[in-house]
Each structure stands twice: as structure tokens, then as C-alpha cells.
Amino acid sequence: MLRTILWKNDKVAMIDQTKLPGTLEYVEYDDYKGVADAIKRLVIRGAPAIGVAAAFGMVLASRQSSATTLKDLLRDLDAARTYLRATRPTAVNLVWALNKIYDTAKMSTDAQTARDVIFKEAISMAENDIITNKTMGRNGSVLFGDGDTIMTHCNAGALATVGYGTALGVIRAAAEDGKSVQVIATETRPIQQGSRLTAFELMHDGIDVSLISDTAVGYSMANGLIDKVVVGADRILSTGHVYNKIGTYQVATMARQHNIPFYVAAPLSTFDMDSEPQDVVIEMRRSAEVSGPPENRTAPEGVNVLNPAFDMTPPELISGIITEAGVATAPYVESIKKLFKANF
Ligand code: MRU
């Protein structure tokens, strides 16, 4: 299984996902601004993975700071938190991880202890990510049967987390339980996380995968090629509204049209229990991602482009939300509250 991010020789090492599927190589950072740049450029992406990257960014910031008092260190960490938070607005794991690290530092007695404890916290956040994904996998595996063909959108696999994955973690767990499962991955325009990352990751791990264009979702469902759908999430509200890669809403709507169960798999750190749909900022990305780079245009020069990176799937289209604490089902307000109560 691929390990997306790790701490190595006082640096953060991460797979450079901009080079996949052609080249599998790690890039290292010893500067928190470098980590922020990596998050922005999608060297590392996927909600849980960018949370852990940001946490390691805070560790680097604590080591880059020359502060000798806790007060001065907290000032520098707060500046790093603001800088790292500005990279991507939609995935809530980023803010969750930054606040967790900052709050841990704040509870320390002095600057050196703070540096030590946030380092330990970031390491345990990374290790717990894998444990959480495996637990989620166990909880979700029962929803999938022997012989199922499962559609997924974007990449919610090992490459979107520290390892194992959320949606692909559930598929991995079903395969580990001895079920023969096949995956149909959408290519996920415009950045192609499905073709570049999901197809690569599943082939790397020996799981049967076929790639389709995003426009073949309806065809695949209408022709009985899909038994179930499972996707990840960047943010889930207390009401069960799910924000995930652009196109997820179309897949969910099409699944409802064909009576195909549509599941979401995400850790509790992806839940935003305080926001309403109108508070969630959808990241808008560069037009060249859609119209092509200047040397290889796929649209006329100067065309106006809209490039939202995420969309919202309403709770009524979701058959269940798989978490490490159990599976939430409608009515989501009650079932999500119950999962949080049981876990904290
Ligand atoms: O823009 P990306 O590649 O960071 O978007 C990733 C997704 O939308 C994933 O589906 C989501 O983060 C879940 S990852 C376990």
C-alpha cells in the first residue's frame, strides 16, 4: 500500500502527486511555506492528507521560529496557521488539523515543550489516520457483496490520506474480507484524480479497476454495470450535506435515477458541525485546468471558464455515511449526532 506522507530526517516527505501516474517519487520540505505551496499545487491533495501535511507544516514552523518564550512561539505558529489555512478553502480537515496542533501548543508550559508536544501530536495524527481508515473500512465492508462492481469518483484512496484510504479503504477492506470486487473509476475532469491517481493506486495494489470518462456515468448505470457507489468527502455538515470533488452530485443524482446505493466514506475529522451550506466556500480554480495549457489548448483562447473544484450532494441522495464510529443513515441530523456522542 502507498504511504502518501511521512516525517523523515527532520523533514516532511510526500509523494509528488503531480507526477503520477508516470513517476512515483517523494519530495521533501523543511519549510512550512514549501508545504503550503505543495498543498496549493496539489503535490499533496485529498482532505485527510492535506490535514496531516498542514500539521507537519506547523511542526516545521515551530522549528523555523527562533522564539524562546511560549508567547512568541504561539505568535509564530498563529502566523503559520493563517498562511497554511489560506491554501485551500473547502476541505475542513485542514482547519481541523491546524487548530488541533495550535491548541496543543497553547496548552504547553514553555516553548521547547510546545515544540516537542506538537511534533508528537502530528506524528500520532498521521498514524491515527491509517488506523481510522482501517476501522472505517471494516465498518463499510459489510455494505458490499461478493461480485459487486463499485463506482468511485475522484481519488479517496491511500493517496488522499496517509495510507489505506477512505472510499478506497472500504473497497480494500471488502477485498481483504475475501469478496471479489471490481471498481469503475471516473476519470474526474479537469485534474484527472480518477485516471491519474485512483486507477494507478488500484492497479499498484492489484485491485480490478476499469476507467471511464465522466460522461459515461449514466451509460454505465443504465446498462447495469454498477452495483454500488462509494466516494470520499472534503466536508460533511451536521445535516448530512456532503461536499466532495466536482461531479459527485451528478454521480449521486444518476445513482438515485437507477436505484443504485450511493455511499460516502469519511472520518469524523471531515465533519463540520458548525457551518450551514451557505457558509461553505467552494474553491474556484484556474481556467487553464479546463481550457488546457497555452501549448495545448482544448478551448478557444480567451474563452470564459468556470472551474469549481467541489460540489454539494444533498443528504436525500445518500444511502449512508461510513465513518470510523459507525454508519450514519437518514435522518442524518440524529444519526450524525449519535456518532459524535459515542466517540467523544
Ligand atoms: O482537489 P482534491 O484532489 O484535493 O479533491 C479530493 C477529493 O475531492 C476527495 O474525494 C476527498 O478529499 C476525499 S479524500 C479521502
Side-chain angles (χ1 to χ4, degrees), residues 297-310:
R297 274 183 208 293
T298 53
E301 190 169 356
V303 69
N304 190 38
V305 171
L306 292 180
N307 186 15
F310 301 97

Side-chain angles (χ1 to χ4, degrees), residues 131-201:
I131 296 168
T132 298
N133 291 339
K134 288 191 170 169
T135 310
M136 205 185 303
R138 294 264 75 75
N139 291 342
S141 167
V142 291
L143 300 168
F144 296 86
D146 192 29
D148 272 356
T149 299
I150 306 163
M151 177 175 280
T152 190
H153 183 63
C154 192
N155 173 266
L159 287 166
T161 60
V162 176
Y164 203 74
T166 57
L168 296 193
V170 170
I171 293 172
R172 256 189 196 99
E176 282 164 15
D177 286 345
K179 294 172 194 165
S180 157
V181 287
Q182 292 86 44
V183 178
I184 291 202
T186 56
E187 60 177 351
T188 317
R189 284 272 296 149
I191 310 272
Q192 315 266 118
Q193 288 94 332
S195 51
R196 290 191 306 108
L197 309 177
T198 296
F200 169 82
E201 170 176 339

Side-chain angles (χ1 to χ4, degrees), residues 205-287:
D205 292 351
I207 296 177
D208 185 322
V209 57
S210 302
L211 185 63
I212 58 165
S213 64
D214 298 331
T215 40
V217 169
Y219 169 92
S220 307
M221 291 186 178
N223 285 283
L225 304 183
I226 311 295
D227 297 301
K228 278 148 202 164
V229 180
V230 62
V231 299
D234 288 85
R235 193 188 288 230
I236 302 175
L237 304 190
S238 61
T239 44
H241 290 77
V242 168
Y243 294 81
N244 191 48
K245 181 50 54 196
I246 192 74
T248 303
Y249 175 45
Q250 286 171 199
V251 176
T253 305
M254 198 56 76
R256 170 55 52 91
Q257 169 74 7
H258 294 285
N259 288 320
I260 294 170
F262 178 92
Y263 295 105
V264 176
L268 294 183
S269 54
T270 298
F271 285 74
D272 171 359
M273 301 295 277
D274 301 319
S275 299
E276 304 284 331
Q278 63 270 20
D279 304 327
V280 180
V281 176
I282 299 288
E283 178 181 4
M284 301 300 284
R285 294 186 61 88
R286 293 182 299 122
S287 59

Side-chain angles (χ1 to χ4, degrees), residues 42-64:
L42 311 185
V43 168
I44 188 159
R45 32 64 54 201
I50 61 177
V52 172
F56 282 136
M58 292 288 274
V59 174
L60 292 174
S62 77
R63 294 175 180 204
Q64 287 173 262

